[in-house]
Amino acid sequence: MSYRAFFGLIKEPFTPDIELDSILQTPALLALSQRVDYVIRIGGIALLTGEVGAGKSTALRWSTGKLHPSAHKVLWVTATSGSILEVYRQLLAELDLHTASSSRAVLTRLIRSQIQNLVATKKQQPLLIIDEASLLRLDVFTELHTMTQFEGDSKPWLPIILAGQNNLADNLLYRTAIPLASRVVARAHLEAVDREGMECYIRHHLAIAGLQNSPFEDAALTAVHQGSGGLFRKANHLARGSLIAAAAEKSQTVTPDHVRMADSELL
Ligand SMILES: Nc1ncnc2c1ncn2[C@@H]1O[C@H](COP(=O)(O)OP(=O)(O)OP(=O)(O)O)[C@@H](O)[C@H]1O
Ligand SMILES: [Mg+2]
């Protein structure tokens, strides 16, 4: 019998591809959402930082998912190599632009005119999200500043949200980043959650998977909280792993031992 059948789970619990409507509305999520609305209104930049797996991308997905699509155009870039060309390529795709050119001047011109077009003709407010912005090379900050500055700056055209690990804030202190950094008007930091926040989180995910009564003993929840350091992705792995360990022993309750067994398999 699979562990899902054993516990009566109607689907895989603790998955990353959580639907927008199922995202847990933590206080941190609401705080971020207010900042997103604020930078959209005034055209500035917001920073979102947090440890790996704290829930940054999910929080951004939720905050931007609430924006009305007819009035907003979310341009979502995820840095991986951290080069400016990578940023431009993804931006072009988000703007439905196609070009064979790899000249930075051409790409910048295309992107800028499409952004102006969105605002002027389609009356859509663009919002640039750069996830994993802590990976951006330092010179990219200079180019980003130039690319997102528009003539007659009274009109806020391109609000930006930069999300990444904690060193993002430090990277913005480098000389080449200062022009961009001077536009930062809001900051949000996703803290690791406390024991109570973790219990809420685990119960929430169990309920999404169809389980209203949590099989976790209190001490097991404490073990998940400690083992995960209050970070959601690690908690997902621990919680799912300990359900599997409990089911293997035909135990309807999840104990701290099951959490320890799960933890021993994680890196
Ligand atoms: N508010 C939330 N409600 C429900 N689940 C969440 C929430 N936030 C995060 N999660 C869960 O935690 C996992 C990790 O979150 P996420 O990928 O957003 O973290 P991250 O901070 O972007 O990580 P990374 O630093 O690796 O990019 C998600 O896949 C999801 O399963
Ligand atoms: Mg992420």
Side-chain angles (χ1 to χ4, degrees), residues 81-253:
S81 75
S83 77
I84 190 72
L85 271 184
E86 175 190 56
V87 173
Y88 286 169
R89 290 251 165 264
Q90 290 189 32
L91 253 179
L92 286 163
E94 289 286 286
L95 288 162
D96 305 313
L97 293 170
H98 306 278
T99 170
S101 172
S102 54
S103 143
R104 270 145 69 160
V106 172
L107 303 186
T108 316
R109 205 174 326 116
L110 275 173
I111 291 168
R112 286 170 62 87
S113 68
Q114 185 75 334
I115 287 171
Q116 278 166 311
N117 181 37
L118 274 179
V119 176
T121 323
K122 300 194 176 163
K123 307 285 181 220
Q124 265 186 322
Q125 173 61 57
L127 168 68
L128 172 59
I129 307 271
I130 305 187
D131 199 2
E132 306 285 2
S134 40
L135 297 176
L136 292 177
R137 298 203 320 237
L138 295 180
D139 53 315
V140 168
F141 291 122
T142 322
E143 287 227 22
L144 263 181
H145 174 68
T146 319
M147 209 250 325
T148 57
Q149 281 287 88
F150 290 89
E151 295 300 316
D153 213 343
S154 57
K155 189 146 179 66
W157 259 330
L158 192 56
I160 305 176
I161 299 177
L162 300 173
Q165 290 172 45
N166 302 341
N167 65 320
L168 170 61
D170 299 331
N171 292 355
L172 282 162
L173 296 176
Y174 279 89
R175 193 175 46 82
T176 52
I178 287 174
L180 195 74
S182 73
R183 293 169 58 198
V184 173
V185 292
R187 281 177 72 163
H189 180 71
L190 285 187
E191 301 278 356
V193 297
D194 60 12
R195 164 71 173 69
E196 195 186 334
M198 185 55 77
E199 174 160 359
C200 212
Y201 177 78
I202 300 288
R203 286 183 182 280
H204 180 78
H205 268 274
L206 288 171
I208 294 172
L211 212 56
Q212 295 306 331
N213 296 318
S214 163
F216 284 81
E217 286 181 356
D218 274 350
L221 285 173
T222 303
V224 171
H225 178 238
Q226 286 176 351
S228 65
L231 299 171
F232 288 156
R233 185 174 308 111
K234 178 101 191 262
N236 284 349
H237 297 324
L238 273 180
R240 193 189 313 104
S242 44
L243 284 172
I244 293 171
E249 292 182 347
K250 307 224 176 326
S251 166
Q252 281 289 345
T253 52

Side-chain angles (χ1 to χ4, degrees), residues 30-43 63 66-67 72 127 161:
L30 301 171
L32 172 68
S33 190
Q34 283 176 357
R35 283 164 178 76
V36 169
D37 294 344
Y38 175 62
V39 294
I40 290 177
R41 272 203 316 280
I42 74 158
S63 305
K66 293 197 319 164
L67 301 171
H72 298 91
L127 168 68
I161 299 177

Side-chain angles (χ1 to χ4, degrees), residues 51-58 60 76 78 131-132 163-164 233:
E51 303 279 335
V52 172
K56 300 180 292 296
S57 303
T58 307
L60 273 178
W76 190 296
T78 304
D131 199 2
E132 306 285 2
R233 185 174 308 111

